[in-house]
Amino acid sequence: MPKASLLIGPIGQLVTAKDTPWRAGDEVVIMENAGIAINGDEVVDVGPWGEVSSKYWSDCVINAEDLLVTPGLVDPHTHALFAGSREDELEMKLQGLTYDEILRRGGGIYRTINDTVKASNEELTKLLMGRLRTALSHGTTTMEVKSGYGLLPREELRLLRVINEVSRNSQVDVVPTYLVHVPPREGDRGEYLRGVVGSLRDAVGLARFVDVFCDAGAFTVEESREVFREASRLGFGLRIHADEISYIGCSDLVVEFNFSSMDHLLNIPERNVNLMASRNVVATLLPITIMSLTTSKRPPVKLMRELRVPMAIGTDFSPNSWSLNMQYAIELATYILGMTPLESLMAATANSAYSLRLSDRGLIRRGSRADVVVWGVRNYRWLTYELGINKAGIVIKGGNIVSIPNGDLRDRIICKRTLS
């Protein structure tokens, strides 16, 4: 009988997509009395617990009877590397100022840029490491992290180096993205953009994706096109902040570039949702940001569902949207966006991983990376039914138990070896 480094079972309810991307109506694996065999950082078997337990033995077993088990959560959109905070701007928004108005007054992103540029690499490293630990304790095992608060290309490259350094030492897998966030308030805008485009070559090896904030108050469609042309030529994956504040034609770029993900989409026209469906582009939706913007706008989830656009969700963690908790994004996706509990879970696992072009995670099957969450609830519906608490029980990353947020579940772990 082969040995597994970790067995999980019996499992009350195992829920995972069969494949990525997952679209509304696609089959989902919902298995009761299930078992998972893990060896090293890989899932080697999934099936009924009786079969799995008869095929493998291990000196470390997690009894997940009456508990939910899912893939680790994947956060596909964060601005997690910055210094400072902007809690006072919430009051401004409540007094009637829009985010665009705060931005034009020199607040918002520009304020964070100043704080971030002044911070040392050591300070930024400590901040990002702490944020990744917080996310991990809520079940996030993979996180995309954008630059974007450096403004000058040399500062953006510095932030990417910090992200890469942190990723080598973090238990959370980090996907670095070069974000072209906002233009400078002064100086030659064209010269600035040429500098950004020229810096992309230096970002090869530091970032997997290039993202542009294309919107009113940020970059125009033509400016975004110029960045994406060079990024595409250099082999980067492409992501875009589109149609968040207003529609200025940003989502029209879907016909010109092979985007992995188009994000926000509060003002996307129906014709472009059709184009996203035909080009297999993920719609990454950010419900926490919708709440923090205090806007009545919503992305067209019903139309996306009908057209079978793959939908992902993320936290959009930033000074404007301060939450590292993907569970909160899952909850709000149901209550604000009208996504079903199952859609929300698939969006936070299979589709988030697919949007980052990670084929080895976001689901639980033979050969997948052993990123798994044992939840302190009994089925997937509880993830959006019980609100406002950390429901993660045991977090497994790369086959290792890395966090036990619910101490009551510690007795479920029976190991003869010392836990990592």
Side-chain angles (χ1 to χ4, degrees):
M1 180 184 294
K3 180 182 179 181
S5 56
L6 176 64
L7 291 175
I8 307 173
I11 296 169
Q13 186 185 73
L14 185 151
V15 181
T16 179
K18 292 192 71 173
D19 206 350
T20 61
W22 184 89
R23 299 176 178 85
D26 284 354
E27 189 174 352
V28 176
V29 174
I30 302 178
M31 186 185 306
E32 296 182 353
N33 198 30
I36 302 171
I38 293 169
N39 199 35
D41 63 358
E42 183 178 307
V43 173
V44 294
D45 208 348
V46 182
W49 174 240
E51 294 182 9
V52 172
S53 61
S54 67
K55 290 166 61 177
Y56 301 89
W57 72 275
S58 178
D59 56 14
C60 196
V61 179
I62 299 175
N63 179 355
E65 189 174 8
D66 299 323
L67 299 176
L68 169 70
V69 172
T70 74
L73 304 181
V74 178
D75 192 342
H77 184 127
T78 83
H79 304 257
L81 183 58
F82 63 87
S85 63
R86 305 202 310 260
E87 65 275 13
D88 54 309
E89 291 181 8
L90 174 59
E91 290 179 323
M92 297 182 193
K93 286 185 285 187
L94 294 173
Q95 291 165 1
L97 271 70
T98 66
Y99 180 69
D100 191 35
E101 288 170 333
I102 294 171
L103 192 68
R104 286 200 302 267
R105 292 185 180 192
I109 292 170
Y110 294 108
R111 177 178 171 185
T112 301
I113 287 170
N114 290 333
D115 290 339
T116 305
V117 169
K118 292 175 183 177
S120 67
N121 288 358
E122 292 73 18
E123 291 170 322
L124 294 173
T125 296
K126 184 177 180 180
L127 285 167
L128 183 53
M129 284 294 291
R131 289 164 183 166
L132 291 171
R133 284 192 294 269
T134 297
L136 183 70
S137 71
H138 288 84
T140 297
T141 52
T142 299
M143 178 188 286
E144 185 253 20
V145 179
K146 305 178 191 293
S147 70
Y149 293 112
L151 191 63
L152 295 177
R154 66 174 182 272
E155 285 292 330
E156 297 298 341
L157 293 171
R158 177 176 81 107
L159 297 181
L160 287 171
R161 292 188 186 100
V162 171
I163 294 169
N164 278 267
E165 180 61 31
V166 169
S167 71
R168 286 189 282 270
N169 298 291
S170 172
Q171 291 177 315
V172 177
D173 285 339
V174 175
V175 178
T177 294
Y178 187 148
L179 173 61
V180 185
H181 209 170
V182 287
R185 287 173 289 181
E186 299 176 351
D188 187 316
R189 187 163 168 144
E191 182 180 350
Y192 169 76
L193 194 66
R194 287 188 292 274
V196 168
V197 171
S199 73
L200 294 179
R201 181 178 295 276
D202 295 323
V204 173
L206 294 176
R208 294 193 205 173
F209 291 92
V210 169
D211 189 349
V212 180
F213 184 9
C214 180
D215 216 319
F219 289 95
T220 67
V221 173
E222 182 53 44
E223 289 169 336
S224 301
R225 180 182 289 117
E226 187 175 342
V227 174
F228 287 132
R229 280 175 179 162
E230 180 65 5
S232 182
R233 189 185 72 80
L234 291 170
F236 289 101
L238 305 182
R239 311 178 74 81
I240 184 172
H241 287 57
D243 304 355
E244 177 187 7
I245 298 168
S246 62
Y247 169 71
I248 62 170
C250 297
S251 58
D252 295 355
L253 292 170
V254 67
V255 299
E256 299 180 44
F257 298 100
N258 184 26
F259 289 112
S260 298
S261 176
M262 300 178 71
D263 301 19
H264 289 292
L265 307 177
L266 303 187
N267 297 281
I268 187 172
E270 182 174 328
R271 67 178 184 277
N272 287 348
V273 179
N274 276 276
L275 290 169
M276 290 181 70
S278 68
R279 295 177 66 85
N280 203 32
V281 179
V282 176
T284 297
L285 311 180
L286 305 161
I288 301 174
T289 301
I290 293 172
M291 186 184 69
S292 69
L293 291 175
T294 64
T295 178
S296 60
K297 292 282 189 178
R298 299 290 185 271
V301 168
K302 183 178 179 182
L303 179 61
M304 290 174 177
R305 181 187 294 126
E306 291 171 354
L307 295 176
R308 291 174 53 79
V309 174
M311 291 182 283
I313 55 176
T315 62
D316 196 18
F317 174 75
S318 73
N320 185 59
S321 181
W322 200 291
S323 177
L324 289 156
N325 185 356
M326 274 291 285
Q327 296 177 50
Y328 190 35
I330 290 171
E331 292 165 4
L332 291 184
T334 296
Y335 286 92
I336 289 183
L337 302 184
M339 297 172 70
T340 69
L342 193 60
E343 284 176 324
S344 298
L345 178 57
M346 294 300 104
T349 53
N351 287 351
S352 291
Y354 181 77
S355 84
L356 296 169
R357 295 303 185 255
L358 298 172
S359 59
D360 63 344
R361 68 200 70 193
L363 37 72
I364 299 173
R365 65 183 180 189
R366 288 184 183 90
S368 68
R369 186 167 174 79
D371 295 354
V372 178
V373 180
V374 179
W375 299 90
V377 298
R378 60 178 179 263
N379 60 59
Y380 74 85
R381 293 183 178 90
W382 275 85
L383 294 179
T384 56
Y385 177 60
E386 186 176 18
L387 305 177
I389 68 165
N390 186 359
K391 295 177 281 290
I394 303 169
V395 182
I396 299 153
K397 177 62 187 169
N400 294 309
I401 298 170
V402 294
S403 183
I404 309 174
N406 186 336
D408 291 341
L409 298 188
R410 187 174 291 274
D411 291 341
R412 301 287 195 111
I413 305 169
I414 305 169
C415 284
K416 296 179 182 178
R417 56 185 167 81
T418 304
L419 298 179
S420 60

PDB file of all heavy atoms in Angstrom, residues 145-176:
ATOM      1  N   VAL A 145      -0.620  40.159  -6.992  1.00  0.00           N
ATOM      2  CA  VAL A 145      -0.234  41.425  -6.368  1.00  0.00           C
ATOM      3  C   VAL A 145       0.286  42.355  -7.453  1.00  0.00           C
ATOM      4  O   VAL A 145       1.222  42.017  -8.178  1.00  0.00           O
ATOM      5  CB  VAL A 145       0.840  41.234  -5.279  1.00  0.00           C
ATOM      6  CG1 VAL A 145       1.232  42.585  -4.681  1.00  0.00           C
ATOM      7  CG2 VAL A 145       0.325  40.299  -4.177  1.00  0.00           C
ATOM      8  N   LYS A 146      -0.314  43.539  -7.543  1.00  0.00           N
ATOM      9  CA  LYS A 146       0.059  44.511  -8.551  1.00  0.00           C
ATOM     10  C   LYS A 146       1.048  45.528  -7.990  1.00  0.00           C
ATOM     11  O   LYS A 146       1.026  45.844  -6.800  1.00  0.00           O
ATOM     12  CB  LYS A 146      -1.180  45.276  -9.042  1.00  0.00           C
ATOM     13  CG  LYS A 146      -2.298  44.394  -9.562  1.00  0.00           C
ATOM     14  CD  LYS A 146      -3.503  45.244  -9.967  1.00  0.00           C
ATOM     15  CE  LYS A 146      -4.731  44.370 -10.225  1.00  0.00           C
ATOM     16  NZ  LYS A 146      -4.589  43.511 -11.387  1.00  0.00           N
ATOM     17  N   SER A 147       1.898  46.053  -8.879  1.00  0.00           N
ATOM     18  CA  SER A 147       2.594  47.289  -8.563  1.00  0.00           C
ATOM     19  C   SER A 147       1.575  48.408  -8.780  1.00  0.00           C
ATOM     20  O   SER A 147       0.382  48.176  -8.725  1.00  0.00           O
ATOM     21  CB  SER A 147       3.825  47.445  -9.461  1.00  0.00           C
ATOM     22  OG  SER A 147       3.433  47.706 -10.802  1.00  0.00           O
ATOM     23  N   GLY A 148       2.020  49.625  -9.027  1.00  0.00           N
ATOM     24  CA  GLY A 148       1.058  50.672  -9.354  1.00  0.00           C
ATOM     25  C   GLY A 148       1.127  51.894  -8.475  1.00  0.00           C
ATOM     26  O   GLY A 148       0.528  52.926  -8.792  1.00  0.00           O
ATOM     27  N   TYR A 149       1.860  51.798  -7.365  1.00  0.00           N
ATOM     28  CA  TYR A 149       1.964  52.951  -6.474  1.00  0.00           C
ATOM     29  C   TYR A 149       3.370  53.554  -6.496  1.00  0.00           C
ATOM     30  O   TYR A 149       3.787  54.196  -5.536  1.00  0.00           O
ATOM     31  CB  TYR A 149       1.574  52.561  -5.045  1.00  0.00           C
ATOM     32  CG  TYR A 149       0.119  52.201  -4.909  1.00  0.00           C
ATOM     33  CD1 TYR A 149      -0.266  50.890  -4.626  1.00  0.00           C
ATOM     34  CD2 TYR A 149      -0.883  53.148  -5.078  1.00  0.00           C
ATOM     35  CE1 TYR A 149      -1.605  50.550  -4.504  1.00  0.00           C
ATOM     36  CE2 TYR A 149      -2.217  52.815  -4.964  1.00  0.00           C
ATOM     37  CZ  TYR A 149      -2.574  51.517  -4.672  1.00  0.00           C
ATOM     38  OH  TYR A 149      -3.901  51.179  -4.557  1.00  0.00           O
ATOM     39  N   GLY A 150       4.058  53.353  -7.612  1.00  0.00           N
ATOM     40  CA  GLY A 150       5.373  53.959  -7.772  1.00  0.00           C
ATOM     41  C   GLY A 150       5.369  55.131  -8.728  1.00  0.00           C
ATOM     42  O   GLY A 150       6.224  56.010  -8.652  1.00  0.00           O
ATOM     43  N   LEU A 151       4.398  55.134  -9.655  1.00  0.00           N
ATOM     44  CA  LEU A 151       4.223  56.148 -10.695  1.00  0.00           C
ATOM     45  C   LEU A 151       5.379  56.144 -11.686  1.00  0.00           C
ATOM     46  O   LEU A 151       5.216  55.767 -12.840  1.00  0.00           O
ATOM     47  CB  LEU A 151       4.022  57.543 -10.096  1.00  0.00           C
ATOM     48  CG  LEU A 151       3.578  58.621 -11.102  1.00  0.00           C
ATOM     49  CD1 LEU A 151       2.226  58.274 -11.695  1.00  0.00           C
ATOM     50  CD2 LEU A 151       3.507  59.988 -10.441  1.00  0.00           C
ATOM     51  N   LEU A 152       6.587  56.560 -11.264  1.00  0.00           N
ATOM     52  CA  LEU A 152       7.729  56.548 -12.168  1.00  0.00           C
ATOM     53  C   LEU A 152       8.118  55.103 -12.473  1.00  0.00           C
ATOM     54  O   LEU A 152       8.097  54.244 -11.589  1.00  0.00           O
ATOM     55  CB  LEU A 152       8.910  57.289 -11.556  1.00  0.00           C
ATOM     56  CG  LEU A 152       8.715  58.796 -11.318  1.00  0.00           C
ATOM     57  CD1 LEU A 152       9.941  59.380 -10.633  1.00  0.00           C
ATOM     58  CD2 LEU A 152       8.428  59.523 -12.627  1.00  0.00           C
ATOM     59  N   PRO A 153       8.512  54.831 -13.710  1.00  0.00           N
ATOM     60  CA  PRO A 153       8.856  53.452 -14.068  1.00  0.00           C
ATOM     61  C   PRO A 153       9.892  52.812 -13.151  1.00  0.00           C
ATOM     62  O   PRO A 153       9.768  51.646 -12.787  1.00  0.00           O
ATOM     63  CB  PRO A 153       9.366  53.582 -15.506  1.00  0.00           C
ATOM     64  CG  PRO A 153       8.619  54.763 -16.055  1.00  0.00           C
ATOM     65  CD  PRO A 153       8.499  55.710 -14.901  1.00  0.00           C
ATOM     66  N   ARG A 154      10.921  53.558 -12.751  1.00  0.00           N
ATOM     67  CA  ARG A 154      11.944  52.964 -11.884  1.00  0.00           C
ATOM     68  C   ARG A 154      11.349  52.554 -10.542  1.00  0.00           C
ATOM     69  O   ARG A 154      11.776  51.569  -9.927  1.00  0.00           O
ATOM     70  CB  ARG A 154      13.115  53.928 -11.680  1.00  0.00           C
ATOM     71  CG  ARG A 154      12.795  55.203 -10.918  1.00  0.00           C
ATOM     72  CD  ARG A 154      14.037  56.034 -10.633  1.00  0.00           C
ATOM     73  NE  ARG A 154      13.735  57.234  -9.875  1.00  0.00           N
ATOM     74  CZ  ARG A 154      13.395  58.396 -10.416  1.00  0.00           C
ATOM     75  NH1 ARG A 154      13.347  58.513 -11.749  1.00  0.00           N
ATOM     76  NH2 ARG A 154      13.121  59.445  -9.651  1.00  0.00           N
ATOM     77  N   GLU A 155      10.353  53.315 -10.062  1.00  0.00           N
ATOM     78  CA  GLU A 155       9.703  52.962  -8.807  1.00  0.00           C
ATOM     79  C   GLU A 155       8.797  51.741  -8.978  1.00  0.00           C
ATOM     80  O   GLU A 155       8.704  50.897  -8.081  1.00  0.00           O
ATOM     81  CB  GLU A 155       8.907  54.145  -8.266  1.00  0.00           C
ATOM     82  CG  GLU A 155       9.752  55.243  -7.662  1.00  0.00           C
ATOM     83  CD  GLU A 155      10.437  54.790  -6.368  1.00  0.00           C
ATOM     84  OE1 GLU A 155       9.874  53.936  -5.657  1.00  0.00           O
ATOM     85  OE2 GLU A 155      11.541  55.286  -6.089  1.00  0.00           O
ATOM     86  N   GLU A 156       8.129  51.654 -10.119  1.00  0.00           N
ATOM     87  CA  GLU A 156       7.299  50.478 -10.378  1.00  0.00           C
ATOM     88  C   GLU A 156       8.165  49.215 -10.428  1.00  0.00           C
ATOM     89  O   GLU A 156       7.783  48.162  -9.907  1.00  0.00           O
ATOM     90  CB  GLU A 156       6.521  50.638 -11.687  1.00  0.00           C
ATOM     91  CG  GLU A 156       5.522  51.783 -11.697  1.00  0.00           C
ATOM     92  CD  GLU A 156       4.415  51.629 -10.667  1.00  0.00           C
ATOM     93  OE1 GLU A 156       4.189  50.504 -10.175  1.00  0.00           O
ATOM     94  OE2 GLU A 156       3.759  52.638 -10.349  1.00  0.00           O
ATOM     95  N   LEU A 157       9.326  49.319 -11.037  1.00  0.00           N
ATOM     96  CA  LEU A 157      10.237  48.176 -11.088  1.00  0.00           C
ATOM     97  C   LEU A 157      10.737  47.828  -9.692  1.00  0.00           C
ATOM     98  O   LEU A 157      10.910  46.641  -9.357  1.00  0.00           O
ATOM     99  CB  LEU A 157      11.402  48.473 -12.028  1.00  0.00           C
ATOM    100  CG  LEU A 157      11.023  48.610 -13.512  1.00  0.00           C
ATOM    101  CD1 LEU A 157      12.208  49.123 -14.315  1.00  0.00           C
ATOM    102  CD2 LEU A 157      10.538  47.280 -14.083  1.00  0.00           C
ATOM    103  N   ARG A 158      10.970  48.833  -8.858  1.00  0.00           N
ATOM    104  CA  ARG A 158      11.362  48.566  -7.467  1.00  0.00           C
ATOM    105  C   ARG A 158      10.267  47.778  -6.750  1.00  0.00           C
ATOM    106  O   ARG A 158      10.551  46.810  -6.029  1.00  0.00           O
ATOM    107  CB  ARG A 158      11.633  49.881  -6.730  1.00  0.00           C
ATOM    108  CG  ARG A 158      11.975  49.682  -5.241  1.00  0.00           C
ATOM    109  CD  ARG A 158      12.327  50.986  -4.551  1.00  0.00           C
ATOM    110  NE  ARG A 158      11.182  51.768  -4.162  1.00  0.00           N
ATOM    111  CZ  ARG A 158      10.740  51.919  -2.909  1.00  0.00           C
ATOM    112  NH1 ARG A 158      11.367  51.296  -1.913  1.00  0.00           N
ATOM    113  NH2 ARG A 158       9.698  52.682  -2.639  1.00  0.00           N
ATOM    114  N   LEU A 159       9.022  48.188  -6.940  1.00  0.00           N
ATOM    115  CA  LEU A 159       7.919  47.484  -6.288  1.00  0.00           C
ATOM    116  C   LEU A 159       7.822  46.046  -6.787  1.00  0.00           C
ATOM    117  O   LEU A 159       7.554  45.120  -6.000  1.00  0.00           O
ATOM    118  CB  LEU A 159       6.603  48.222  -6.534  1.00  0.00           C
ATOM    119  CG  LEU A 159       6.500  49.634  -5.951  1.00  0.00           C
ATOM    120  CD1 LEU A 159       5.127  50.230  -6.249  1.00  0.00           C
ATOM    121  CD2 LEU A 159       6.765  49.637  -4.455  1.00  0.00           C
ATOM    122  N   LEU A 160       8.041  45.841  -8.067  1.00  0.00           N
ATOM    123  CA  LEU A 160       8.003  44.475  -8.594  1.00  0.00           C
ATOM    124  C   LEU A 160       9.113  43.621  -7.985  1.00  0.00           C
ATOM    125  O   LEU A 160       8.910  42.432  -7.706  1.00  0.00           O
ATOM    126  CB  LEU A 160       8.118  44.489 -10.117  1.00  0.00           C
ATOM    127  CG  LEU A 160       6.876  44.962 -10.876  1.00  0.00           C
ATOM    128  CD1 LEU A 160       7.180  45.130 -12.355  1.00  0.00           C
ATOM    129  CD2 LEU A 160       5.721  43.964 -10.684  1.00  0.00           C
ATOM    130  N   ARG A 161      10.265  44.217  -7.750  1.00  0.00           N
ATOM    131  CA  ARG A 161      11.356  43.454  -7.119  1.00  0.00           C
ATOM    132  C   ARG A 161      10.992  43.089  -5.684  1.00  0.00           C
ATOM    133  O   ARG A 161      11.301  41.982  -5.227  1.00  0.00           O
ATOM    134  CB  ARG A 161      12.646  44.266  -7.180  1.00  0.00           C
ATOM    135  CG  ARG A 161      13.199  44.436  -8.597  1.00  0.00           C
ATOM    136  CD  ARG A 161      14.581  45.081  -8.614  1.00  0.00           C
ATOM    137  NE  ARG A 161      14.984  45.353  -9.981  1.00  0.00           N
ATOM    138  CZ  ARG A 161      14.900  46.543 -10.584  1.00  0.00           C
ATOM    139  NH1 ARG A 161      14.429  47.596  -9.901  1.00  0.00           N
ATOM    140  NH2 ARG A 161      15.273  46.700 -11.836  1.00  0.00           N
ATOM    141  N   VAL A 162      10.343  43.998  -4.984  1.00  0.00           N
ATOM    142  CA  VAL A 162       9.892  43.687  -3.625  1.00  0.00           C
ATOM    143  C   VAL A 162       8.875  42.552  -3.656  1.00  0.00           C
ATOM    144  O   VAL A 162       8.943  41.610  -2.852  1.00  0.00           O
ATOM    145  CB  VAL A 162       9.296  44.936  -2.943  1.00  0.00           C
ATOM    146  CG1 VAL A 162       8.619  44.560  -1.624  1.00  0.00           C
ATOM    147  CG2 VAL A 162      10.374  45.985  -2.697  1.00  0.00           C
ATOM    148  N   ILE A 163       7.926  42.623  -4.581  1.00  0.00           N
ATOM    149  CA  ILE A 163       6.915  41.568  -4.702  1.00  0.00           C
ATOM    150  C   ILE A 163       7.581  40.225  -4.957  1.00  0.00           C
ATOM    151  O   ILE A 163       7.217  39.202  -4.352  1.00  0.00           O
ATOM    152  CB  ILE A 163       5.914  41.907  -5.830  1.00  0.00           C
ATOM    153  CG1 ILE A 163       5.087  43.146  -5.461  1.00  0.00           C
ATOM    154  CG2 ILE A 163       4.989  40.720  -6.109  1.00  0.00           C
ATOM    155  CD1 ILE A 163       4.264  43.706  -6.606  1.00  0.00           C
ATOM    156  N   ASN A 164       8.562  40.203  -5.842  1.00  0.00           N
ATOM    157  CA  ASN A 164       9.250  38.946  -6.147  1.00  0.00           C
ATOM    158  C   ASN A 164      10.030  38.428  -4.954  1.00  0.00           C
ATOM    159  O   ASN A 164      10.054  37.214  -4.692  1.00  0.00           O
ATOM    160  CB  ASN A 164      10.168  39.133  -7.354  1.00  0.00           C
ATOM    161  CG  ASN A 164       9.432  39.019  -8.672  1.00  0.00           C
ATOM    162  OD1 ASN A 164       9.362  37.951  -9.265  1.00  0.00           O
ATOM    163  ND2 ASN A 164       8.859  40.125  -9.131  1.00  0.00           N
ATOM    164  N   GLU A 165      10.670  39.325  -4.215  1.00  0.00           N
ATOM    165  CA  GLU A 165      11.426  38.905  -3.041  1.00  0.00           C
ATOM    166  C   GLU A 165      10.490  38.319  -1.985  1.00  0.00           C
ATOM    167  O   GLU A 165      10.772  37.269  -1.391  1.00  0.00           O
ATOM    168  CB  GLU A 165      12.199  40.087  -2.456  1.00  0.00           C
ATOM    169  CG  GLU A 165      13.027  39.753  -1.223  1.00  0.00           C
ATOM    170  CD  GLU A 165      14.093  38.712  -1.476  1.00  0.00           C
ATOM    171  OE1 GLU A 165      14.606  38.645  -2.608  1.00  0.00           O
ATOM    172  OE2 GLU A 165      14.411  37.954  -0.536  1.00  0.00           O
ATOM    173  N   VAL A 166       9.373  38.976  -1.769  1.00  0.00           N
ATOM    174  CA  VAL A 166       8.402  38.470  -0.793  1.00  0.00           C
ATOM    175  C   VAL A 166       7.846  37.117  -1.245  1.00  0.00           C
ATOM    176  O   VAL A 166       7.667  36.199  -0.427  1.00  0.00           O
ATOM    177  CB  VAL A 166       7.266  39.489  -0.587  1.00  0.00           C
ATOM    178  CG1 VAL A 166       6.121  38.872   0.212  1.00  0.00           C
ATOM    179  CG2 VAL A 166       7.794  40.733   0.115  1.00  0.00           C
ATOM    180  N   SER A 167       7.586  36.970  -2.543  1.00  0.00           N
ATOM    181  CA  SER A 167       7.001  35.720  -3.036  1.00  0.00           C
ATOM    182  C   SER A 167       7.912  34.531  -2.786  1.00  0.00           C
ATOM    183  O   SER A 167       7.445  33.392  -2.635  1.00  0.00           O
ATOM    184  CB  SER A 167       6.688  35.841  -4.532  1.00  0.00           C
ATOM    185  OG  SER A 167       7.880  35.848  -5.308  1.00  0.00           O
ATOM    186  N   ARG A 168       9.207  34.755  -2.731  1.00  0.00           N
ATOM    187  CA  ARG A 168      10.144  33.656  -2.487  1.00  0.00           C
ATOM    188  C   ARG A 168      10.124  33.196  -1.033  1.00  0.00           C
ATOM    189  O   ARG A 168      10.614  32.109  -0.717  1.00  0.00           O
ATOM    190  CB  ARG A 168      11.562  34.083  -2.880  1.00  0.00           C
ATOM    191  CG  ARG A 168      11.795  34.145  -4.385  1.00  0.00           C
ATOM    192  CD  ARG A 168      13.254  34.367  -4.716  1.00  0.00           C
ATOM    193  NE  ARG A 168      13.645  35.747  -4.542  1.00  0.00           N
ATOM    194  CZ  ARG A 168      13.587  36.677  -5.501  1.00  0.00           C
ATOM    195  NH1 ARG A 168      13.125  36.360  -6.700  1.00  0.00           N
ATOM    196  NH2 ARG A 168      13.964  37.915  -5.266  1.00  0.00           N
ATOM    197  N   ASN A 169       9.567  34.013  -0.157  1.00  0.00           N
ATOM    198  CA  ASN A 169       9.591  33.704   1.276  1.00  0.00           C
ATOM    199  C   ASN A 169       8.208  33.561   1.893  1.00  0.00           C
ATOM    200  O   ASN A 169       8.094  33.387   3.104  1.00  0.00           O
ATOM    201  CB  ASN A 169      10.361  34.811   2.023  1.00  0.00           C
ATOM    202  CG  ASN A 169      11.808  34.899   1.576  1.00  0.00           C
ATOM    203  OD1 ASN A 169      12.596  34.008   1.838  1.00  0.00           O
ATOM    204  ND2 ASN A 169      12.153  35.968   0.871  1.00  0.00           N
ATOM    205  N   SER A 170       7.180  33.624   1.079  1.00  0.00           N
ATOM    206  CA  SER A 170       5.815  33.580   1.593  1.00  0.00           C
ATOM    207  C   SER A 170       5.204  32.204   1.398  1.00  0.00           C
ATOM    208  O   SER A 170       5.509  31.498   0.435  1.00  0.00           O
ATOM    209  CB  SER A 170       4.958  34.629   0.877  1.00  0.00           C
ATOM    210  OG  SER A 170       3.592  34.475   1.218  1.00  0.00           O
ATOM    211  N   GLN A 171       4.314  31.830   2.304  1.00  0.00           N
ATOM    212  CA  GLN A 171       3.563  30.586   2.146  1.00  0.00           C
ATOM    213  C   GLN A 171       2.433  30.741   1.136  1.00  0.00           C
ATOM    214  O   GLN A 171       1.894  29.745   0.655  1.00  0.00           O
ATOM    215  CB  GLN A 171       3.006  30.140   3.500  1.00  0.00           C
ATOM    216  CG  GLN A 171       4.092  29.688   4.471  1.00  0.00           C
ATOM    217  CD  GLN A 171       3.540  29.322   5.837  1.00  0.00           C
ATOM    218  OE1 GLN A 171       2.713  30.036   6.389  1.00  0.00           O
ATOM    219  NE2 GLN A 171       4.001  28.221   6.377  1.00  0.00           N
ATOM    220  N   VAL A 172       2.063  31.976   0.823  1.00  0.00           N
ATOM    221  CA  VAL A 172       1.083  32.241  -0.225  1.00  0.00           C
ATOM    222  C   VAL A 172       1.825  32.403  -1.546  1.00  0.00           C
ATOM    223  O   VAL A 172       2.807  33.140  -1.627  1.00  0.00           O
ATOM    224  CB  VAL A 172       0.277  33.523   0.085  1.00  0.00           C
ATOM    225  CG1 VAL A 172      -0.695  33.835  -1.046  1.00  0.00           C
ATOM    226  CG2 VAL A 172      -0.470  33.373   1.409  1.00  0.00           C
ATOM    227  N   ASP A 173       1.371  31.707  -2.587  1.00  0.00           N
ATOM    228  CA  ASP A 173       1.947  31.919  -3.911  1.00  0.00           C
ATOM    229  C   ASP A 173       1.513  33.283  -4.435  1.00  0.00           C
ATOM    230  O   ASP A 173       0.326  33.640  -4.358  1.00  0.00           O
ATOM    231  CB  ASP A 173       1.484  30.835  -4.881  1.00  0.00           C
ATOM    232  CG  ASP A 173       2.192  29.516  -4.640  1.00  0.00           C
ATOM    233  OD1 ASP A 173       3.277  29.517  -4.028  1.00  0.00           O
ATOM    234  OD2 ASP A 173       1.659  28.474  -5.066  1.00  0.00           O
ATOM    235  N   VAL A 174       2.455  34.046  -4.965  1.00  0.00           N
ATOM    236  CA  VAL A 174       2.195  35.409  -5.415  1.00  0.00           C
ATOM    237  C   VAL A 174       2.384  35.492  -6.929  1.00  0.00           C
ATOM    238  O   VAL A 174       3.392  35.016  -7.463  1.00  0.00           O
ATOM    239  CB  VAL A 174       3.133  36.410  -4.713  1.00  0.00           C
ATOM    240  CG1 VAL A 174       2.942  37.817  -5.275  1.00  0.00           C
ATOM    241  CG2 VAL A 174       2.874  36.399  -3.209  1.00  0.00           C
ATOM    242  N   VAL A 175       1.429  36.098  -7.604  1.00  0.00           N
ATOM    243  CA  VAL A 175       1.509  36.344  -9.044  1.00  0.00           C
ATOM    244  C   VAL A 175       1.727  37.843  -9.242  1.00  0.00           C
ATOM    245  O   VAL A 175       0.825  38.640  -8.974  1.00  0.00           O
ATOM    246  CB  VAL A 175       0.226  35.891  -9.758  1.00  0.00           C
ATOM    247  CG1 VAL A 175       0.305  36.202 -11.251  1.00  0.00           C
ATOM    248  CG2 VAL A 175      -0.026  34.402  -9.533  1.00  0.00           C
ATOM    249  N   PRO A 176       2.924  38.267  -9.693  1.00  0.00           N
ATOM    250  CA  PRO A 176       3.209  39.701  -9.821  1.00  0.00           C
ATOM    251  C   PRO A 176       2.661  40.290 -11.124  1.00  0.00           C
ATOM    252  O   PRO A 176       2.772  39.683 -12.188  1.00  0.00           O
ATOM    253  CB  PRO A 176       4.747  39.763  -9.818  1.00  0.00           C
ATOM    254  CG  PRO A 176       5.229  38.350  -9.678  1.00  0.00           C
ATOM    255  CD  PRO A 176       4.093  37.446  -9.994  1.00  0.00           C
TER     256      PRO A 176
END
